[in-house]
């Protein structure tokens, strides 16, 4: 009996020791995120609502972990953990293996020549604030007046309920309550009813359609011109661009969905002077995508997969489902998720720039428009004496064409998430920067080609 009791006691002690060893082993497999990263000079922030820790290494690479999640993001890629992230005594604890991955990323881009170039500009103008509060202003497009470019208009979306038209001084001229409009784009000389009209089109999340309008008049009036509604098969229409093929003359609507869906519709006269849309191509990206722009001259299009990368595709309907190239990745250096708006600067002789809104870093990345889209620089829009800067930008647009004395080399327009007036936060709006400000601030300077008329593009 005594021997049995002694055996039981020994077994209990051994079990306790084993349990202690297991706990110690488990603890040894975890390390405190903040303490380890601060040793590296990294910046760490905490989102209490989502129980998420976000960090940025000194070389710019970013990452994110979430309590009780078995996945993480690092350098623009998602990874899986052997055990979930934990919150212990108000400390974010990560598996030691993840720390090793972070250290490996931290060892990259240590040469000073690897630093991401950045410059700052100040807005020269801004639009009046949208009527709706919270997250409402979204995407702008620049329409060039064919008679007097100084009377050109900004046509933008209010995703809380419509389309807005502004003059170049930022004064609101029109407001159309047509639904929760998300992204917008325009093209010139669309053949309709025996004449050519300028068209603007946008994704309508209220009706899940692509809505098309003609643009005309001194005050930039919009007239709906769709016949049978162009209704998407995807769950929710989101990103958008128009594309005018200079190879065939056809016009297309390019649409992205919140789950990465892509649809391409050919737009044409339905025979009654109204616009009809026919689905001609579809494919799917891996995750949510919104930013989208087409290069009419080169016949290509660019898609921003928000958390991942910018992809380059053939824009023709027979262009296939696979990308031609990856332009850049959202690793936190030049692009930090979300990658939002994309826009195209048309320069002389096929030159120019692709510009992307890096929402996570409150900046804009510039790439060469030609060949392999070589990276050039980042810039941000900072506070001026009377106009505040931009942050967490959604949509952007650019035009390298003279728009009169105020903007002789064109403009860059960006949505501003947090709009301030006299130090007080008000509803969102759009900021306007002269292209000459951007071109002259970059090192080396960028092109200033103010004679490339968007109505007269050439096949390349």
């Amino acid at each position: 009996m005594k021997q049995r009791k002694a055996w039981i006691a020994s077994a209990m002690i051994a079990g306790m020791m084993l349990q202690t060893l297991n706990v110690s082993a488990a603890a040894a497999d975890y390390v405190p995120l903040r303490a380890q990263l601060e040793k590296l000079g990294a910046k760490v922030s905490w989102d209490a609502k989502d129980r998420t820790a976000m960090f940025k290494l000194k070389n710019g690479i970013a990452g994110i972990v979430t309590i009780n999640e078995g996945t993480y993001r690092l350098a623009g890629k998602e990874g899986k953990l052997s055990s979930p992230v934990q919150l212990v005594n108000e400390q974010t604890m990560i598996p030691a293996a993840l720390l090793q991955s972070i250290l490996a990323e931290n060892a990259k881009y240590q040469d000073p020549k690897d630093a991401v170039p950045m410059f700052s500009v100040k807005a020269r103008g801004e639009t009046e604030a949208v009527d709706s509060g919270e997250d409402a202003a979204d995407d702008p497009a620049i329409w060039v007046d064919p008679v007097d470019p100084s009377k050109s208009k900004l046509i933008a979306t209010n995703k809380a309920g419509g389309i807005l038209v502004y003059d170049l001084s930022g004064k609101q001229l029109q407001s159309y309550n047509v639904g929760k409009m998300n992204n917008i784009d325009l093209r010139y000389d669309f053949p309709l009813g025996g004449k050519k009209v300028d068209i603007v089109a946008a994704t309508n999340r209220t009706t899940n359609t692509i809505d098309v309008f003609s643009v005309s008049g001194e005050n930039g009036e919009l007239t709906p011109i769709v016949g049978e509604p162009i209704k998407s098969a995807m769950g929710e229409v989101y990103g958008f661009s128009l594309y005018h093929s200079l190879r065939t003359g056809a016009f297309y609507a390019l649409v992205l969905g919140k789950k990465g869906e892509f649809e391409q519709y050919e737009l044409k006269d339905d025979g009654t002077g109204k616009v009809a849309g026919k689905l001609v191509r579809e494919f799917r990206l891996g995750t949510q995508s919104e930013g989208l722009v087409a290069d009419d001259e080169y016949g290509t299009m660019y898609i921003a997969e928000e958390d991942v990368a910018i992809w380059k595709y053939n824009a023709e309907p027979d262009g296939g489902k696979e990308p031609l190239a990856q332009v850049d990745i959202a690793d936190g250096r030049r692009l930090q998720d979300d990658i939002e708006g994309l826009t195209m600067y048309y320069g002389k002789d096929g030159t120019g720039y692709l510009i992307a809104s890096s929402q996570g870093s409150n900046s804009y990345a510039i790439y060469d428009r030609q060949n392999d889209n070589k990276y050039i620089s980042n810039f941000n829009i900072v506070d001026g004496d009377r106009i505040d800067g931009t942050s967490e930008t959604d949509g952007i647009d650019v035009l390298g064409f003279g728009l009169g004395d105020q903007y002789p080399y064109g403009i860059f327009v960006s949505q501003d998430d947090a709009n301030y007036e006299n130090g007080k936060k008000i509803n969102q709006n759009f900021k306007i920067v002269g292209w000459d400000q951007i071109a002259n601030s970059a090192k080396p300077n960028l092109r200033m080609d103010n004679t490339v008329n968007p109505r007269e593009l050439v096949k390349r």
Side-chain angles (χ1 to χ4, degrees):
M1 190 71 165
K2 288 181 179 180
Q3 287 181 336
R4 179 176 175 79
K5 287 182 178 181
W7 178 84
I8 292 174
S10 298
M12 290 176 65
I13 291 171
M16 292 171 64
M17 291 177 63
L18 181 60
Q19 184 179 25
T20 300
L21 288 171
N22 286 338
V23 171
S24 299
D29 288 338
Y30 278 82
V31 294
L33 176 69
R34 183 179 293 274
Q36 293 293 333
L37 291 188
E38 287 181 347
K39 291 179 183 177
L40 304 176
K43 296 179 180 179
V44 185
S45 59
W46 170 252
D47 186 326
K49 180 181 178 180
D50 294 332
R51 289 161 57 88
T52 294
M54 296 155 284
F55 57 90
K56 196 172 182 72
L57 305 178
K58 289 183 70 175
N59 61 10
I61 288 177
I64 184 170
V65 298
T66 302
I67 303 303
N68 295 329
E69 291 289 334
T71 60
Y72 66 93
R73 290 195 66 80
L74 178 64
K77 298 178 181 179
E78 184 173 294
K80 292 185 177 181
L81 299 169
S82 58
S83 51
V85 176
Q86 297 183 7
L87 188 64
V88 180
N89 296 327
E90 298 185 354
Q91 290 191 87
T92 302
M93 306 293 290
I94 61 170
L98 175 54
L99 176 61
Q100 296 306 310
S101 297
I102 293 172
L103 292 174
E105 294 297 336
N106 187 67
K108 298 177 180 178
Y109 309 113
Q110 293 298 319
D111 193 305
K113 67 179 179 60
D114 293 326
V116 175
M118 173 74 76
F119 64 91
S120 299
V121 295
K122 298 177 181 178
R124 188 177 295 170
E126 64 179 333
T127 67
E128 295 177 345
V130 300
D131 292 336
S132 307
E134 301 301 327
D135 187 17
D138 195 85
D139 192 34
I142 306 162
W143 174 76
V144 176
D145 188 297
V147 178
D148 184 352
S150 70
K151 294 182 179 180
S152 297
K153 308 295 187 295
L154 305 181
I155 306 174
T157 57
N158 173 356
K159 59 189 175 187
I163 297 178
L164 306 170
V165 181
Y166 304 92
D167 63 20
L168 293 183
S169 71
K171 180 183 178 181
Q172 182 178 304
L173 304 174
Q174 308 285 348
S175 177
Y176 298 92
N177 187 16
V178 290
K180 295 180 179 179
M181 313 305 286
N182 204 72
N183 282 17
I184 195 165
D185 200 10
L186 56 82
R187 286 297 185 274
Y188 304 95
D189 296 334
F190 180 85
L192 189 68
K195 58 182 181 179
K196 292 185 177 182
V197 300
D198 297 342
I199 61 171
V200 59
T203 43
N204 188 331
R205 292 163 69 179
T206 299
T207 56
N208 212 46
T209 56
I210 298 100
D211 294 358
V212 187
F213 307 82
S214 63
V215 189
S216 62
E218 178 72 17
N219 293 318
E221 294 93 343
L222 305 183
T223 303
I225 53 175
V226 171
E228 186 73 19
I230 307 173
K231 193 168 182 65
S232 171
M234 64 181 66
E236 182 178 6
V237 291
Y238 200 40
F240 183 75
S241 177
L242 287 171
Y243 168 56
H244 179 203
S245 172
L246 300 182
R247 285 139 184 80
T248 65
F251 287 78
Y252 299 94
L254 312 174
V255 190
L256 286 169
K258 279 206 165 187
K259 295 183 178 179
E261 310 100 321
F262 171 83
E263 294 175 350
Q264 181 167 358
Y265 294 83
E266 183 175 0
L267 303 179
K268 59 174 56 177
D269 192 323
D270 67 1
T272 69
K274 296 291 186 179
V275 175
K278 177 184 178 182
L279 183 65
V280 293
R281 179 168 63 153
E282 55 186 329
F283 57 81
R284 195 176 190 124
L285 290 92
T287 59
Q288 181 169 301
S289 306
E290 182 178 12
L292 178 60
V293 68
D295 187 329
D296 292 1
E297 292 193 332
Y298 284 109
T300 54
M301 66 178 180
Y302 298 85
I303 296 177
E305 190 175 358
E306 292 186 351
D307 294 343
V308 181
I310 299 174
W311 304 99
K312 183 178 185 177
Y313 286 84
N314 186 317
E316 293 295 319
D318 60 356
K321 300 181 178 182
E322 298 301 320
L324 301 174
Q326 181 186 88
V327 176
D328 207 349
I329 188 170
D331 64 359
R333 285 172 47 78
R334 303 183 295 216
L335 296 172
Q336 184 168 337
D337 58 327
D338 295 347
I339 312 171
E340 286 286 336
L342 297 177
T343 187
M344 187 69 58
Y345 176 97
Y346 288 97
K348 288 182 180 178
D349 303 320
T351 62
Y353 308 103
L354 168 70
I355 306 176
S357 168
S358 174
Q359 192 176 74
S361 60
N362 300 320
S363 68
Y364 311 93
I366 307 172
Y367 304 86
D368 197 317
R369 177 182 161 221
Q370 297 174 295
N371 303 318
D372 60 355
N373 304 110
K374 179 182 177 182
Y375 169 75
I376 297 172
S377 181
N378 273 58
F379 72 96
N380 56 16
I381 302 174
V382 298
D383 292 346
D385 294 335
R386 61 182 186 84
I387 302 176
D388 63 308
T390 60
S391 61
E392 298 186 20
T393 294
D394 283 328
I396 56 177
D397 199 14
V398 69
L399 178 72
F401 183 67
L403 298 178
D405 293 340
Q406 187 177 12
Y407 299 109
Y409 292 95
I411 57 176
F412 175 81
V413 185
S414 60
Q415 182 262 6
D416 182 17
D417 180 73
N419 179 33
Y420 287 86
E421 186 177 84
N422 299 322
K424 180 182 178 181
K425 187 176 181 180
I426 61 175
N427 289 349
Q428 296 175 338
N429 74 341
F430 300 88
K431 300 298 194 287
I432 308 170
V433 179
W435 178 256
D436 54 309
Q437 297 174 258
I438 295 171
N440 290 327
S441 298
K443 304 300 180 189
N445 294 165
L446 303 179
R447 300 182 67 96
M448 292 196 295
D449 297 327
N450 65 350
T451 60
V452 180
N453 192 327
R455 297 174 184 273
E456 301 172 359
L457 301 182
V458 178
K459 176 185 172 184
R460 305 291 176 186

